[in-house]
Amino acid sequence: MNSILLTGLLHLLLATAPFQDEAPGPADAVPAPSNIRGAQFPRIHPDLRVTFRIRAPEARQVVFGFFDDQRYPAEKDDEGVWTATTGPQVPGFHYYRVFIDGAEVNDPSSETYFGTGKMTSGIEIPEDGADFYLPKDVPHGEVRERWYFSETTQQWRRIFVYTPPGYDEGGQRYPVLYLQHGAGEDERGWPNQGRVGFIMDNLIAEGKARPMLVVMEQGYARRAGDAEPARPPGGRPDFTRMFSAFEGVMVEDLIPMVDATYRTIPDREHRAMAGLSMGGMQTFQITLKHLDLFSSIGGFSGAGGGFGGVAFDPETAHGGVMADADAFNEKVDVLWLGIGTEEPERMYQSVKNYHEALEKAGIEHVYYESPGTSHEWQTWRRSLHEFAPLLFGGAPEAGREAASPDDREAAGPAGRPGAPRRRGQGPPIVLNPDDVPAFPDPPAGFDEPRDGIPRGTLEMISYESESVGTTRRMNVYTPPGYSEEREYPVLYLLHGIGGDETEWQRFARPDVLLDNLIAEGAAEPMIVVMPNGRAQQNDRAEGNVFAGAPAFAAFEEDLLNDVIPAIESRYSVKADREHRALAGLSMGGGQALNFGLAHLDTFAWVGAFSAAPNTKPAAELVPDPDRAREQLKLLWIACGAKDNLLRISQGVHAHLKENDVPHVWHVDGNGHDPTEWKNNLYLFVQRLFR
């Protein structure tokens, strides 16, 4: 390279390098982590004072200022360098600016962030002992940028999407949190200032939050053809029109695009929305009008009451959606409010008053105060850190699969301070003295295929259902050596609310499990029938699967009048009650108790694993204890000690115990998960037909 050109480039680099590189600061202070690479200032002292420095030889006055009106005039040295040291600052992220002879500029030594309506200098002041928002040696997800076209605004819009660790490695589907920024910020706020990626990575790695997608949009919108948002005196935009347009973007454009583009679980139970400040108000406006789309709601320094100081009345607010507290509590899984203790008085009181009004009205919710923080990112980071673990049933147990509708309803942070009651969750888990395992856990490898043993056959068959009025399917296992010359007992095995005729095979591989047990002589050769317990024309687990709950009750007729006759006409079976068993998991467990105990002339063996809220009251299940004692060969009630549906099985067990009805009561250490169900199937089938 030409030596003159090289020399010129070096001079240019030196001339444009931050002054801080040339002058190390005081030894008791360290460069802020938000400085550009190599910059020595701003510097943070042990007592959290901050020293700012900038070169401006021709300036007559320099002032450094935060956006809470703190101002620090700087002093100039002989080299034209201006320096100012602040008082102690609150840990967290803060926007700041430099005034040079009255002109507001950014600090060239600090990273800039979109906040306060423009690109602005920012400083990160570490919080001693807090690392929940910092990178750690854990699996990391990704924050991805995506553009899409909005029909509402007739413009291209940008979003950022956090995908959890392992997203690209399989076909798993995920719940979604839509997370909004505040006024003066945009979709970059949560990824940059909010550290959303690190917060979620750390929560997921610690087992505190369920893997989920987090979608971050800009909260500003204008419908195509509208004039620019009107600005009343004072320069504030017309929030009513802007919020309405953004609602259209969310409901009509964004959610459909996300569900079509990413592997989501596209129903309300797996969709949440939260936001800070303005984004919190937008969240409440949108979600409370569209509870068909969202099951969880979060407001961080912003909620449905706004900041106007108007008294909030749940009877009339939000179109009266909260007027019936019981109905609202049943429908909403998580309602969450957060505020910093040092926020401006009108903001603090507005959110606190909203909380107190909800409490008085009997609306279940979580209220959180971030100690010592104001209307700033540390409040909102802490809020996300507290909010995310409550979503979508809470964190999975170690080794569990991602949320499915079967386990989502029950899983959750039982007993977590301030946690709301989820549908079907009830109060925190309380174990009784006899809530203990009746049998040891199965041995390792019990559900793994073994070499050198005979294998049965698994086939999907169709049958005509007169009760449903359509052709339906069921999965059927026939044991090794199945022969028409021999008659076999039959186990009818029912799935959960989010499953179908394939769910048991996905969760437990009953064919492998039975092959192994039969080879050991530990189980009788039997036929296992896995039908679809959703008795309706479209029996697929699509959309809001909970809306199909009535079809599970209707399955009683299909089971008795269509499924059993179809099996007994096609296979060589022992067609009597002593050789018929009925069992199921979760929703199917409730069906097994409801149908099996109501038809003791049809079933002598009944098993319920993690029975769901569809289970009838215990006294209704067993109205005649004498008959139950006489006719039941085996009644198996099982649930995990970490399952928030345990109370349902406890109630059945207590009634049976009080009325001296023999039964197995098995409470192991699992949650509402596939491990619980395959373990119980292993234990249950060994005791059938003997």
Side-chain angles (χ1 to χ4, degrees):
M1 178 182 289
N2 184 288
S3 61
I4 297 176
L5 177 58
L6 178 59
T7 301
L9 287 172
L10 288 173
H11 279 297
L12 177 62
L13 289 172
L14 290 172
T16 57
F19 166 76
Q20 286 84 338
D21 288 341
E22 303 169 15
D28 71 336
V30 296
S34 45
N35 293 355
I36 65 171
R37 184 172 301 166
Q40 294 295 313
F41 288 84
R43 293 181 74 86
I44 301 171
H45 298 260
D47 61 358
L48 302 188
R49 289 177 301 132
V50 178
T51 294
F52 293 103
R53 186 175 291 183
I54 193 168
R55 182 192 295 275
E58 304 301 322
R60 296 184 299 276
Q61 182 188 53
V62 173
V63 177
F64 291 88
F66 292 100
F67 279 83
D68 59 1
D69 294 328
Q70 295 183 64
R71 294 288 183 272
Y72 298 96
E75 294 186 359
K76 182 180 178 182
D77 66 13
D78 294 340
E79 301 296 323
V81 176
W82 297 81
T83 303
T85 298
T86 74
Q89 299 297 309
V90 175
F93 177 90
H94 308 281
Y95 299 113
Y96 74 96
R97 48 196 167 177
V98 187
F99 298 92
I100 300 180
D101 292 338
E104 180 181 334
V105 300
N106 290 330
D107 186 343
S109 296
S110 172
E111 293 284 0
T112 56
Y113 306 82
F114 188 79
T116 72
K118 58 184 178 298
M119 296 304 295
T120 307
S121 298
I123 184 170
E124 182 71 46
I125 299 176
E127 179 180 351
D128 186 34
D131 62 357
F132 68 90
Y133 56 94
L134 301 178
K136 298 181 185 180
D137 186 15
V138 300
H140 289 278
E142 294 182 356
V143 176
R144 307 178 180 189
E145 179 182 280
R146 187 175 192 91
W147 290 84
Y148 74 101
F149 188 78
S150 165
E151 294 292 338
T152 302
T153 65
Q154 287 294 299
Q155 292 178 338
W156 287 92
R157 294 174 65 89
R158 179 178 63 176
I159 61 172
F160 288 95
V161 180
Y162 168 81
T163 55
Y167 177 81
D168 293 324
E169 296 171 6
Q172 182 173 316
R173 291 185 172 271
Y174 296 87
V176 186
L177 166 62
Y178 291 85
L179 189 60
Q180 288 305 118
H181 60 83
E185 294 161 340
D186 66 8
E187 66 274 17
R188 291 169 284 186
W190 274 109
N192 294 339
Q193 296 95 297
R195 305 285 188 89
V196 68
F198 295 145
I199 292 173
M200 294 306 304
D201 289 344
N202 295 337
L203 285 172
I204 292 168
E206 293 164 10
K208 293 180 179 178
R210 186 172 294 283
M212 66 185 77
L213 301 176
V214 183
V215 177
M216 295 154 280
E217 241 277 21
Q218 58 171 295
Y220 315 109
R222 178 168 56 92
R223 291 188 182 275
D226 279 1
E228 288 293 333
R231 290 180 178 270
R236 291 167 62 94
D238 183 344
F239 283 110
T240 300
R241 283 165 56 188
M242 185 176 76
F243 280 22
S244 174
F246 181 63
E247 177 185 348
V249 169
M250 281 286 300
V251 173
E252 300 164 19
D253 302 323
L254 180 61
I255 291 175
M257 184 278 292
V258 169
D259 285 341
T261 305
Y262 297 90
R263 295 197 314 279
T264 68
I265 305 174
D267 59 42
R268 69 174 299 275
E269 283 74 21
H270 296 90
R271 194 180 293 122
M273 185 175 180
L276 68 90
S277 194
M278 179 188 80
M281 290 186 280
Q282 289 177 312
T283 292
F284 275 70
Q285 180 210 28
I286 292 170
T287 57
L288 294 177
K289 285 178 64 177
H290 298 280
L291 288 178
D292 57 321
L293 296 177
F294 301 94
S295 63
S296 295
I297 305 165
F300 312 159
S301 304
F307 298 136
V310 179
F312 169 73
D313 180 4
E315 290 286 335
T316 58
H318 311 304
V321 70
M322 296 180 177
D324 185 337
D326 290 340
F328 183 83
N329 294 337
E330 181 72 13
K331 194 170 187 67
V332 175
D333 288 347
V334 181
L335 180 64
W336 201 96
L337 304 177
I339 192 74
T341 59
E342 303 305 311
E343 301 222 24
E345 184 66 16
R346 66 188 180 91
M347 294 182 178
Y348 176 82
Q349 285 300 330
S350 178
V351 174
K352 187 175 182 181
N353 291 344
Y354 191 82
H355 149 64
E356 291 173 350
L358 293 176
E359 197 169 53
K360 184 177 179 181
I363 302 295
E364 294 171 356
H365 65 288
V366 176
Y367 177 66
Y368 167 77
E369 291 192 354
S370 170
T373 57
S374 185
H375 203 68
E376 59 196 354
W377 276 103
Q378 202 69 348
T379 296
W380 307 324
R381 292 168 177 171
R382 290 175 180 175
S383 293
L384 177 62
H385 185 254
E386 295 295 317
F387 176 68
L390 301 180
L391 297 179
F392 314 123
E397 300 295 334
R400 279 182 59 187
E401 298 181 7
S404 73
D406 298 322
D407 60 7
R408 185 212 65 82
E409 180 155 336
R416 181 183 179 90
R421 175 171 57 84
R422 305 191 203 310
R423 178 177 50 260
Q425 176 179 326
I429 296 170
V430 177
L431 295 177
N432 300 317
D434 63 346
D435 293 344
V436 296
F439 304 96
D441 284 343
F446 73 95
D447 60 341
E448 295 296 326
R450 298 178 190 170
D451 295 332
I453 66 170
R455 301 191 187 283
T457 300
L458 190 68
E459 63 176 336
M460 188 70 68
I461 70 168
S462 299
Y463 69 101
E464 296 301 319
S465 171
E466 293 186 8
S467 59
V468 179
T470 189
T471 301
R472 286 165 52 77
R473 302 193 310 165
M474 47 189 166
N475 219 1
V476 180
Y477 165 82
T478 49
Y482 171 80
S483 170
E484 295 288 343
E485 302 301 317
R486 176 180 176 180
E487 294 182 337
Y488 297 86
V490 184
L491 165 61
Y492 294 87
L493 199 53
L494 308 181
H495 61 79
I497 195 168
D500 58 21
E501 64 274 8
T502 67
E503 183 172 67
W504 267 106
Q505 191 61 23
R506 288 184 284 113
F507 281 169
R509 296 197 290 184
D511 58 331
V512 173
L513 189 152
L514 263 297
D515 286 347
N516 294 343
L517 286 174
I518 292 170
E520 295 171 8
E524 291 293 315
M526 67 185 76
I527 295 171
V528 181
V529 178
M530 293 161 277
N532 188 317
R534 191 180 292 99
Q536 58 187 17
Q537 293 264 335
N538 178 10
D539 59 9
R540 298 302 92 193
E542 298 173 342
N544 178 8
V545 295
F546 295 93
F552 284 81
F555 179 65
E556 181 175 7
E557 182 180 354
D558 187 49
L559 173 66
L560 298 173
N561 298 335
D562 298 309
V563 171
I564 292 175
I567 293 297
E568 294 182 352
S569 66
R570 181 162 180 167
Y571 297 93
S572 180
V573 305
K574 294 181 178 179
D576 57 59
R577 62 177 300 278
E578 286 79 10
H579 296 93
R580 244 184 246 119
L582 181 64
L585 69 88
S586 192
M587 193 77 161
Q591 288 177 308
L593 292 175
N594 295 345
F595 307 159
L597 295 177
H599 298 281
L600 292 177
D601 55 336
T602 302
F603 304 99
W605 316 76
V606 177
F609 316 148
S610 312
N614 63 316
T615 306
K616 293 179 180 179
E620 187 177 339
L621 288 174
V622 187
D624 186 348
D626 290 337
R627 181 170 179 241
R629 280 193 294 271
E630 177 184 345
Q631 293 195 283
L632 277 168
K633 297 286 188 180
L634 175 64
L635 177 55
W636 183 285
I637 311 292
C639 197
K642 298 177 182 177
D643 189 337
N644 283 318
L645 296 183
L646 176 61
R647 75 189 191 285
I648 296 168
S649 297
Q650 285 174 322
V652 176
H653 160 63
H655 181 76
L656 297 172
K657 183 177 179 180
E658 181 181 353
N659 288 277
D660 296 320
V661 177
H663 64 289
V664 170
W665 175 232
H666 181 61
V667 180
D668 57 21
N670 297 310
H672 199 79
D673 56 55
T675 299
E676 173 72 9
W677 304 324
K678 68 181 178 181
N679 284 6
N680 273 278
L681 180 63
Y682 171 86
L683 297 170
F684 180 67
V685 296
Q686 294 182 65
R687 289 155 179 85
L688 293 181
F689 313 126
R690 294 194 161 188

